[in-house]
Amino acid sequence: MCGIIGYTGTEQAAPILLDGLRKLEYRGYDSAGIAVLYDNALTVCKITGRIANLSEKTEDGKATPGQVGIGHTRWATHGAPTDENAHPHKSNDGRFAVVHNGIIENYQALRAELVEKGYTFESETDTEVVVHLIEMYYEGDVKNAVIRASARLRGSWALGVLCTDCPDTVYVAREASPLILGAGVGENYFASDITALVSYTRNVMYLDDGEFAAVSPAGITIFDGTGRPVEKKLHRITWDVAAAEKGGYEHFMLKEMMEQPRATEATISPRIRDGEVFFEGFALGEEELRSIDKIVITACGSAYYAGCAGKIAIERLCRIPVSVELASELRYADPLIDEHTLLVVLSQSGETADTIAAMKECKARGARTVAVVNVVGSTVAALADHVIYTWAGPEIAVATTKGYTTQLSVLYLLATYLAGKKGSVPRERYDACVAAIRSIPKLIQEAIDLNAAALPRLARKYCDHASMFYIGRNTDYAVSLEGALKMKEISYIHAESYAAGELKHGTIALIEEGQPVVALCCNEDVTEKTVSNIVECKARGAEVLAVTFRDNGRVISQADDVIALPRMETVFSPAVEIVPLQMLAYYVARERGCDIDKPKNLAKSVTVE
Ligand code: BG6
């Protein structure tokens, strides 16, 4: 996820662009840049690091004359954070500059075509194909060139386009990435979200997918892919800037939970083409696959729990032994790792000290390493033989949500990819897995919609307990680990996960009158057994909150409260089942007045040991 902004009016553009980029910095902050039109020429200034570096380089914009410009703050997806990969990107003829938020999924084919036609590239980014396409289609009409170039793209984009032949107009295009137009008096704006605009204007219009606009000081003209005008309603924003940064949500964690359908879509969709799973940064030949006799997943915190859920899918589909190891333990375990081990490293930040140390230990013993990370150019990504990015966008809240579900999405894609390569599942099972993974974003949205109204009430009921049990079997047990951690992390309630089958071996002794037990029952293969556990716990006075399919009458009849879920493929169910448990923890923490985005004693990334 990146942030884009544009301005055209009577003021100097650069200071306004920089101010807007500072408000968008939470959307991405590994590099930034601006392009300003002045005297029929483009001035482009871009640099790695925070907006402060760009401000310093441009004397806070004062050194850059011109009243029309575009700006970008980057969260790298394709190409590490470098000056060359920062936006804006310029056309070879120097006539155009482009900023982009989103992912161009077919950029490799477009790049090859453009190189073939003689265009030269300066960056490794997907975005750069856009500016060369616009140049290629330009015959004097920028609007037409932008429409034709957009028609060639697949994926998601919010584009800002400057052209030296249009000294006061910026062109924008939107497909699946947010783009808001700000209407001023004698000046107009666009941005990725309201945060960047609200201190300049509260009058906004929302561009929809497949729409374009020409933004000039005189006004904003919106049109569709055929060039036909589109009418838009003006909205009045009542948020303040701080609220706007969170997209109107009270906390970043709530915003990031609600982003999970989009984040998992952005992570899954580019890796399935014509019904086949593929990874642009990772491929295993038959020979290499045959040489692997085990897979080790290593991580910390929630990433470790994502590994516990991913293990089930990989073993079920690929029949390769998978062990999931806490990085802080693996690094000291004198591990049985060699060149026949595939090491999968999970890390949202890519900077967790123990994870890096464990990875180095395993590399030294010959393991082939695949990193699943959310930060391009992070240490874990740089150390790995292969990298598969989770395209979740920046995750600000300390307690991960979209980081976890996008890691799971990658693990499910990986399990299916390996199964396809190994031929360990019949073709119809492979196709069913691809379809089930594709449905994860939609099912996450359904899980949110089914429970959004009830969860605040459930939170009020359960928020005053000193402890909570989370129980489940197999995939439900894997989810219970992360569900309990979420509750601990942000509400400080002592929540513990137990394998449901273990209750009789000691832990049921802790059940007292009123003890909350969250019983996860989304794995039909073992639900009957967990229903027995529910009955046993209730017989000792427990208050049972069951997490199960909305039509599972057997479980619902036994529980005191229910979190209902849409039916889904069992082996991939953790990616959906976890979401209402994230929300439960969020609303309980909110009831308890906790600092949800920055829980006490916790850090977003533990870069020290
Ligand atoms: C913790 C975070 O500090 O580190 C967790 O709060 C995270 O959310 C864990 O799961 C591991 O971090 P990372 O960046 O390696 O996934």
Side-chain angles (χ1 to χ4, degrees):
M1 180 163 77
C2 303
I4 68 171
I5 183 165
Y7 170 80
T8 178
T10 54
E11 302 294 319
Q12 189 184 6
I16 295 172
L17 298 174
L18 289 168
D19 179 52
L21 289 177
R22 275 188 283 275
K23 308 267 183 29
L24 292 170
E25 200 164 25
Y26 72 91
R27 295 177 63 86
Y29 36 73
D30 56 45
S31 52
I34 59 172
V36 180
L37 262 182
Y38 180 64
D39 205 7
N40 287 337
L42 277 172
T43 308
V44 175
C45 181
K46 53 188 191 173
I47 189 170
T48 46
R50 311 295 293 245
I51 308 293
N53 297 6
L54 188 63
S55 287
E56 196 182 319
K57 190 172 178 184
T58 59
E59 294 165 42
D60 207 23
K62 296 182 188 61
T64 312
Q67 295 162 334
V68 192
I70 56 180
H72 185 274
T73 184
R74 186 167 183 244
W75 179 264
T77 55
H78 294 74
T82 61
D83 293 2
E84 296 73 26
N85 288 336
H87 304 205
H89 291 289
K90 277 179 78 173
S91 55
N92 288 165
D93 64 5
R95 184 180 267 130
F96 295 97
V98 166
V99 291
H100 165 230
N101 171 34
I103 291 177
I104 306 300
E105 295 174 8
N106 61 331
Y107 81 97
Q108 286 158 319
L110 290 172
R111 185 179 177 122
E113 178 191 333
L114 288 159
V115 167
E116 180 65 30
K117 290 179 175 169
Y119 292 90
T120 55
F121 282 74
E122 288 176 5
S123 79
E124 309 157 281
T125 66
D126 54 329
T127 300
E128 199 180 345
V129 299
V130 177
V131 75
H132 298 316
L133 281 172
I134 293 172
E135 179 183 351
M136 183 170 80
Y137 287 123
Y138 183 61
E139 296 164 347
D141 178 343
V142 181
K143 168 177 166 182
N144 184 266
V146 172
I147 289 176
R148 290 180 66 189
S150 300
R152 297 293 309 280
L153 306 178
R154 267 213 346 259
S156 56
W157 58 89
L159 299 175
V161 183
L162 278 185
C163 176
T164 53
D165 296 347
C166 304
D168 69 350
T169 303
V170 194
Y171 286 85
V172 297
R174 180 209 151 125
E175 181 66 39
S177 289
L179 211 159
I180 290 133
L181 300 161
V185 179
E187 54 193 8
N188 288 305
Y189 311 78
F190 72 85
S192 297
D193 73 28
I194 289 156
T195 310
L197 302 180
V198 71
S199 45
Y200 295 98
T201 176
R202 289 180 178 272
N203 301 316
V204 298
M205 292 178 279
Y206 298 92
L207 216 51
D208 288 314
D209 287 352
E211 293 179 345
F212 304 76
V215 183
S216 71
I220 298 173
T221 311
I222 299 170
F223 45 94
D224 64 18
T226 65
R228 261 199 294 274
V230 173
E231 282 307 310
K232 281 286 171 187
K233 201 159 79 69
L234 208 56
H235 297 263
R236 179 86 182 145
I237 296 304
T238 55
W239 290 337
D240 62 25
V241 174
E245 202 169 76
K246 295 170 193 147
Y249 291 102
E250 192 179 345
H251 297 100
F252 275 113
M253 184 176 172
L254 183 56
K255 176 171 175 284
E256 288 154 11
M257 285 192 290
M258 297 305 125
E259 282 176 349
Q260 291 182 111
R262 186 197 58 74
T264 50
E265 177 67 24
T267 300
I268 291 167
S269 171
R271 277 107 183 208
I272 299 175
R273 187 182 302 157
D274 306 327
E276 297 293 331
V277 175
F278 73 101
F279 298 104
E280 68 292 331
F282 169 63
L284 275 183
E286 312 264 318
E287 195 50 42
E288 294 161 303
L289 196 49
R290 259 200 293 280
S291 75
I292 290 168
D293 61 11
K294 73 175 170 190
I295 294 174
V296 173
I297 299 174
T298 192
C300 298
S302 295
Y304 169 75
Y305 293 141
C308 295
K311 161 192 164 79
I312 296 170
I314 297 171
E315 287 189 336
R316 187 76 54 84
L317 297 178
C318 307
R319 312 314 291 164
I320 301 174
V322 178
S323 74
V324 189
E325 308 292 343
L326 281 172
S328 54
E329 289 295 308
L330 180 64
R331 60 180 296 191
Y332 302 116
D334 187 11
L336 297 171
I337 301 262
D338 59 24
E339 66 280 10
H340 299 297
T341 307
L342 179 65
L343 181 79
V344 179
V345 184
L346 301 178
S347 179
Q348 190 283 130
S349 64
E351 300 301 341
T352 299
D354 281 321
T355 303
I356 292 167
M359 185 179 185
K360 286 177 177 172
E361 185 61 38
C362 296
K363 277 174 73 78
R365 294 165 187 259
R368 174 194 293 272
T369 55
V370 182
V372 180
V373 291
N374 195 39
V375 179
V376 175
S378 57
T379 304
V380 167
L383 281 171
D385 299 317
H386 310 279
V387 184
I388 304 174
Y389 285 111
T390 51
W391 282 322
E395 191 175 58
I396 311 296
V398 166
T400 183
T401 49
K402 61 180 183 174
Y404 173 89
T405 46
T406 51
Q407 284 166 357
L408 269 187
S409 299
V410 169
L411 290 172
Y412 294 153
L413 287 165
L414 182 61
T416 306
Y417 170 82
L418 294 173
K421 285 286 175 193
K422 275 199 73 179
S424 51
V425 295
R427 181 70 211 190
E428 57 273 14
R429 176 78 175 125
Y430 178 91
D431 294 343
C433 288
V434 171
I437 295 168
R438 267 194 188 287
S439 68
I440 287 172
K442 177 175 63 66
L443 292 170
I444 287 177
Q445 190 58 61
E446 272 184 53
I448 290 171
D449 297 344
L450 277 172
N451 297 286
L455 279 163
R457 175 182 55 76
L458 284 173
R460 282 192 290 278
K461 176 174 178 183
Y462 289 102
C463 67
D464 293 327
H465 288 274
S467 70
M468 291 179 79
F469 275 31
Y470 285 68
I471 66 170
R473 283 181 172 77
N474 197 265
T475 49
D476 288 330
Y477 174 48
V479 175
S480 74
L481 293 163
E482 174 60 10
L485 177 60
K486 282 282 130 343
M487 187 62 79
K488 273 188 283 234
E489 274 185 304
I490 63 174
S491 76
Y492 315 137
I493 289 177
H494 186 193
E496 274 317 314
S497 156
Y498 296 102
E502 278 299 289
L503 277 172
K504 284 196 277 293
H505 303 291
T507 38
I508 200 164
L510 297 175
I511 301 289
E512 306 207 334
E513 188 61 34
Q515 170 68 50
V517 173
V518 180
L520 284 77
C521 304
C522 290
N523 184 325
E524 298 274 69
D525 304 337
V526 292
T527 296
E528 265 320 304
K529 298 281 186 284
T530 307
V531 169
S532 306
N533 295 123
I534 291 175
V535 173
E536 288 157 14
C537 290
K538 284 187 62 64
R540 290 160 179 80
E543 191 83 14
V544 175
L545 166 57
V547 182
T548 190
F549 301 132
R550 58 183 154 201
D551 58 359
N552 191 332
R554 178 87 182 84
V555 172
I556 292 169
S557 62
Q558 297 297 334
D560 297 289
D561 294 295
V562 175
I563 287 177
L565 289 170
R567 280 199 173 278
M568 67 201 105
E569 168 70 43
T570 298
V571 77
F572 303 135
S573 58
V576 180
E577 189 178 4
I578 187 60
V579 173
L581 292 177
Q582 296 166 343
M583 295 167 70
L584 176 66
Y586 171 81
Y587 286 112
V588 167
R590 191 164 172 270
E591 281 299 314
R592 293 167 65 96
C594 298
D595 183 350
I596 290 171
D597 285 336
K598 298 185 177 64
K600 63 180 178 173
N601 311 333
L602 296 183
K604 182 59 188 166
S605 174
V606 180
T607 55
V608 294
E609 296 168 22

